[in-house]
Amino acid sequence: MGLRLKVYCCVAGCPGTYWLCQALVTLLSLCECFWAAPGPRGRPLDPRAEFDSIVNLARNLLSDTKSLFNHFKNRYPAEGEHKLETLPVLSMNAVELANIQVSGGLARLSSDLQCYQRHFEWLRKAAPLLRPMEHDLGTVHVRLERLLKRLEHLMAKLSLPRPNDPLPTLPAHGTHWSVVQAGHAIVHSFHLYLDWAARVLVLIRNKL
């Protein structure tokens, strides 16, 4: 508005330049509209890019867990198969895997990872009984938490509900041998699960 007043003052003093000043006023008006116009909106983030990041986290965690599993077997050799009823069960067949949906698949992953997080917390609390494995267990546990947070952040972006499945109640730490057996079961199960989870994440990403 101040610029317009100055132009009109010039017009009053120089009548011969009326049309030139009118053109200048029009040009200034257009400039003001241009300056007031909002800038271009940023493009929305592609959830597939975030999926790629989560897949990489899962694969890196799989590598760390494989290393932990091998170290655990070498440090605490134990024959036979060790199981815990509180661990997630991989019961999805090939047809179910191919037909997995975004909402249900991510909810399943989130719920299972929370369950594994609880088991690794339990193992880390048994550190005095598994002191040689304390560092490796801590590394896997921290990266598991990071993967879970990224997954939950993605679910929030996609407006998907978070699962409210109850977490398992684990027993008090018993003897050294009972903790070793539980450790074998947890680490081996998590190793197999992450291999499955990485493939599931890729399938879900391709459905977006």
Side-chain angles (χ1 to χ4, degrees):
M1 182 62 72
L3 291 173
R4 292 185 184 182
L5 289 174
K6 289 181 181 179
V7 172
Y8 282 123
C9 289
C10 292
V11 171
C14 305
T17 61
Y18 175 79
W19 295 111
L20 178 61
C21 290
Q22 280 291 96
L24 183 58
V25 169
T26 302
L27 180 61
L28 289 172
S29 298
L30 291 174
C31 289
E32 288 178 1
C33 292
F34 176 76
W35 292 331
R41 295 182 179 180
R43 295 178 59 186
L45 294 176
D46 185 355
R48 289 174 297 182
E50 191 153 355
F51 252 106
D52 291 339
S53 176
I54 292 175
V55 170
N56 287 333
L57 281 176
R59 287 173 175 167
N60 291 336
L61 181 55
L62 173 60
S63 177
D64 293 334
T65 306
K66 182 178 180 180
S67 177
L68 170 62
F69 179 53
N70 290 330
H71 291 167
F72 205 96
K73 287 193 302 181
N74 292 334
R75 183 68 188 184
Y76 304 109
E79 298 294 334
E81 186 177 4
H82 305 281
K83 294 183 178 181
L84 281 179
E85 294 182 357
T86 52
L87 289 167
V89 178
L90 290 178
S91 59
M92 191 173 291
N93 59 39
V95 175
E96 292 172 328
L97 191 61
N99 294 327
I100 195 167
Q101 298 301 311
V102 175
S103 178
L106 292 181
R108 166 77 184 273
L109 287 168
S110 176
S111 178
D112 289 347
L113 289 176
Q114 288 181 47
C115 182
Y116 278 112
Q117 183 185 36
R118 173 64 63 89
H119 282 83
F120 273 96
E121 286 175 352
W122 183 87
L123 269 183
R124 292 190 70 184
K125 289 178 180 178
L129 300 175
L130 300 172
R131 193 167 299 281
M133 304 304 303
E134 187 174 1
H135 174 73
D136 290 347
L137 285 170
T139 298
V140 169
H141 186 211
V142 168
R143 293 183 178 178
L144 166 58
E145 289 182 331
R146 186 182 306 164
L147 174 61
L148 182 57
K149 287 179 181 178
R150 290 290 296 276
L151 183 63
E152 291 177 343
H153 179 67
L154 175 62
M155 292 177 69
K157 278 189 173 182
L158 296 175
S159 300
L160 299 177
R162 291 180 57 183
N164 292 318
D165 299 332
L167 293 175
T169 301
L170 300 178
H173 300 103
T175 64
H176 177 266
W177 176 239
S178 66
V179 172
V180 167
Q181 287 180 306
H184 275 286
I186 294 169
V187 176
H188 179 58
S189 173
F190 192 48
H191 179 220
L192 295 177
Y193 181 84
L194 284 174
D195 181 66
W196 174 85
R199 289 184 285 118
V200 167
L201 284 168
V202 172
L203 289 173
I204 294 175
R205 179 203 180 278
N206 293 337
K207 291 180 181 290
L208 293 177

